[in-house]
Amino acid sequence: MKTYAYLLTASFFILVSSISCSEEPKALVPTESPSTGSPTTPTDSSGVPLGSPVYLKVGTKWESGVDLPAKQWKLCYISPTTPAQNIVCEVAIPEAQLYRSAVEFRIGTLNSASCPILSFRPYYYKRTDEARTLQPVGPPDDDGNPTQIPVGGYVPPSADSDSEPINCAPGTLQKECYGGAGPVMIETFPKSTSRYFLTDVMSEFTYSIDAENQLRTYGARNVNYLVTNSLDPALRTQAVATGQLNERVADSYYDYQIECKSYWGERLYGIKLIISDENWDSSGGGDDYIDWY
């Protein structure tokens, strides 16, 4: 009977969502996209205490053609006995392995009653606010139309050298104006900045992102900005000029967030995830793949 009530509530929630989402999303108001289909990997809650409202497992899988199993680097969860509403989960991964590996984010619950909606927001930041505008360059033509040419704009580091600059002015919705995992993992980014699923339908879902070595979102340079979000909070308020490798707009940096929500949209529990790359071990070494520190 209890399960039936949850399913009935979930059905009502989906119906209301379908009605309320019939309009186009407003500009720069982030929304959530539903996660469809079955989990990409079998459910695996090993190591998670029974009754935990939310857990997170972070793993990597080499991009090599060899069918190697994913390596789990970190398990974080909200304890069912002394539940803190919010925790921070930190994980460091060897930098070359991170650069050449797909990353998996397995999130789930062992208590759907305390976590009806589970959402995942990948980290992202805005690279630049460079605008592409039309400037007058002479007298009007014979029809009285002004003679204008486009000037300014932004060429992403992954673009070809002869690519046309794009407009990244505040208020625009160009995915290429952003960096981090969000623009890669969410098809409708930046209109949508997170994904969600109903835990009565599935108790776990795995999100993944391909290796930077394959995607080359930062061009030919060896950087781990695609996945790492280890920038010092004190530096996030500072802008870095367009054209620098670590270019960014001030106050536009958002961490990975896993959230349990009620059917009324209230946040119940949350996990903030910070990923960094490990530059060397006890044997020594150097920083060969750049991240945020």
Side-chain angles (χ1 to χ4, degrees), residues 5 45 100 107 193 215 267-268 273-274:
S45 58
R100 294 180 171 86
I107 67 173
T193 57
L215 296 173
R267 179 182 170 118
L268 303 173
L273 172 64
I274 305 295

Side-chain angles (χ1 to χ4, degrees), residues 156-190:
S158 59
D160 294 332
S161 57
D162 58 349
S163 295
E164 205 50 36
I166 60 175
N167 182 21
C168 291
T172 56
L173 295 172
Q174 290 272 19
K175 178 184 293 191
E176 295 78 11
C177 302
Y178 294 81
V184 177
M185 298 185 73
I186 299 180
E187 184 179 352
T188 55
F189 187 95

Side-chain angles (χ1 to χ4, degrees), residues 176-247:
E176 295 78 11
C177 302
Y178 294 81
V184 177
M185 298 185 73
I186 299 180
E187 184 179 352
T188 55
F189 187 95
K191 287 185 177 181
S192 295
T193 57
S194 59
R195 304 286 301 277
Y196 75 92
F197 63 93
L198 302 179
T199 60
D200 264 339
V201 178
M202 58 183 78
S203 62
E204 181 182 278
F205 203 93
T206 299
Y207 301 94
S208 62
I209 184 170
D210 289 333
E212 168 62 16
N213 189 45
Q214 176 183 342
L215 296 173
R216 295 289 179 174
T217 56
Y218 292 83
R221 292 169 285 190
N222 293 341
V223 298
N224 277 324
Y225 292 151
L226 174 68
V227 174
T228 59
N229 61 314
S230 52
L231 181 64
D232 188 324
L235 299 178
R236 299 182 183 190
T237 60
Q238 302 175 16
V240 175
T242 302
Q244 302 295 314
L245 186 59
N246 60 342
E247 60 189 3

Side-chain angles (χ1 to χ4, degrees), residues 108-160:
T109 181
L110 295 185
N111 187 351
S112 61
S114 62
C115 186
I117 305 171
L118 194 44
S119 69
F120 171 65
R121 184 189 71 192
Y123 119 87
Y124 68 94
Y125 65 97
K126 194 170 188 192
R127 288 172 161 171
T128 180
D129 277 336
E130 289 289 316
R132 181 79 163 162
T133 60
L134 293 174
Q135 297 292 332
V137 293
D141 59 21
D142 294 340
D143 296 323
N145 299 314
T147 304
Q148 298 177 316
I149 60 169
V151 296
Y154 175 66
V155 178
S158 59
D160 294 332

